[in-house]
Amino acid sequence: TQLLEQSPQFLSIQEGENLTVYCNSSSVFSSLQWYRQEPGEGPVLLVTVVTGGEVKKLKRLTFQFGDARKDSSLHITAAQPGDTGLYLCAGAGAGSYQLTFGKGTKLSVIP
Amino acid sequence: NAGVTQTPKFRVLKTGQSMTLLCAQDMNHEYMYWYRQDPGMGLRLIHYSVGEGTTAKGEVPDGYNVSRLKKQNFLLGLESAAPSQTSVYFCASSGRYEQYFGPGTRLTVT
């Protein structure tokens, strides 16, 4: 069974601060995705990373896939209240399109 | 282009009642999934389908059945609802890795 551990579980920061969220596993994933979920809605895909060491940027969000493809991080620069939400990482094993989800990091950005 | 839609949005059932949740997607995706989301548990896969007419069990399939008679629809059935099935249910579809989620159905079983 592949497990994804996300940390921290909860994060409350002031507007303008930087933060990093981590997603770790002992398993190797062929791809890893990050989703954001707002209350009362379904998760929305932010990014997919597939190559070890890959870095992708989406405005103020930077995503990194570990060299061994077992871990990933999400860094947000100058957080804004609109970044508030539940951030989920999800990994796909080799030859599979099924995803294993982490339990998420609940981020609150206070104005 | 509606993406993934789910009906109903909310439902309250009494223990032992049955119901069917409907998921529809208009992206011509082969893969469809049903998840449940509970506090502290994350998203857990109930059943999934890799194409029309096929279904398979996920991580937590007990108490649920599914059908995929048409490519665009994926139905989740509860034959005899139990309080432990109180949850938020999400349907998703994918062409490859990226999954697109519906807005969810909040189900309460009393």
Side-chain angles (χ1 to χ4, degrees):
Chain A
T1 303
Q2 297 179 311
L3 292 174
L4 277 167
E5 303 275 349
Q6 285 189 243
S7 61
Q9 206 173 344
F10 301 96
L11 190 55
S12 181
I13 62 170
Q14 295 289 329
E15 181 176 359
E17 292 183 349
N18 301 331
L19 67 112
T20 302
V21 173
Y22 299 93
C23 177
N24 295 297
S25 177
S26 58
S27 303
V28 175
F29 291 98
S30 61
S31 72
L32 197 135
Q33 300 167 28
W34 285 91
Y35 292 81
R36 181 168 67 210
Q37 184 178 19
E38 298 190 22
E41 299 182 7
V44 175
L45 179 68
L46 295 174
V47 76
T48 300
V49 286
V50 296
T51 305
E54 183 176 2
V55 177
K56 281 192 174 179
K57 292 193 175 184
L58 186 68
K59 296 184 181 178
R60 293 175 294 99
L61 279 61
T62 302
F63 305 86
Q64 184 161 7
F65 201 12
D67 291 340
R69 290 184 290 134
K70 293 182 178 182
D71 55 83
S72 181
S73 63
L74 158 60
H75 182 78
I76 301 179
T77 303
Q80 298 178 1
D83 296 326
T84 293
L86 179 68
Y87 288 81
L88 296 161
C89 67
S96 172
Y97 293 148
Q98 286 182 57
L99 295 177
T100 298
F101 280 85
K103 294 182 179 179
T105 293
K106 191 169 183 180
L107 172 65
S108 296
V109 181
I110 303 164
Chain B
N1 190 343
V4 179
T5 58
Q6 292 183 233
T7 53
K9 199 159 177 61
F10 301 95
R11 185 74 187 267
V12 178
L13 287 179
K14 293 187 187 302
T15 297
Q17 287 185 322
S18 63
M19 76 163 294
T20 301
L21 282 67
L22 172 63
C23 175
Q25 53 99 0
D26 62 3
M27 296 173 281
N28 202 35
H29 285 161
E30 290 293 335
Y31 301 87
M32 295 187 76
Y33 312 83
W34 275 107
Y35 294 90
R36 60 178 289 173
Q37 188 174 38
D38 303 290
M41 300 296 290
L43 281 162
R44 292 183 292 169
L45 183 64
I46 304 170
H47 286 279
Y48 64 98
S49 168
V50 300
E52 182 179 316
T54 72
T55 63
K57 294 180 180 180
E59 180 187 354
V60 288
D62 294 343
Y64 305 95
N65 55 74
V66 288
S67 64
R68 183 114 180 256
L69 298 180
K70 293 183 179 181
K71 185 177 184 178
Q72 63 268 35
N73 295 337
F74 196 27
L75 279 63
L76 177 71
L78 286 73
E79 290 186 349
S80 179
S84 61
Q85 294 177 303
T86 293
S87 186
V88 181
Y89 291 86
F90 288 100
C91 175
S93 71
S94 72
R96 292 186 65 205
Y97 300 118
E98 293 87 358
Q99 293 191 11
Y100 296 86
F101 284 81
T105 295
R106 184 173 292 275
L107 174 66
T108 302
V109 183
T110 61

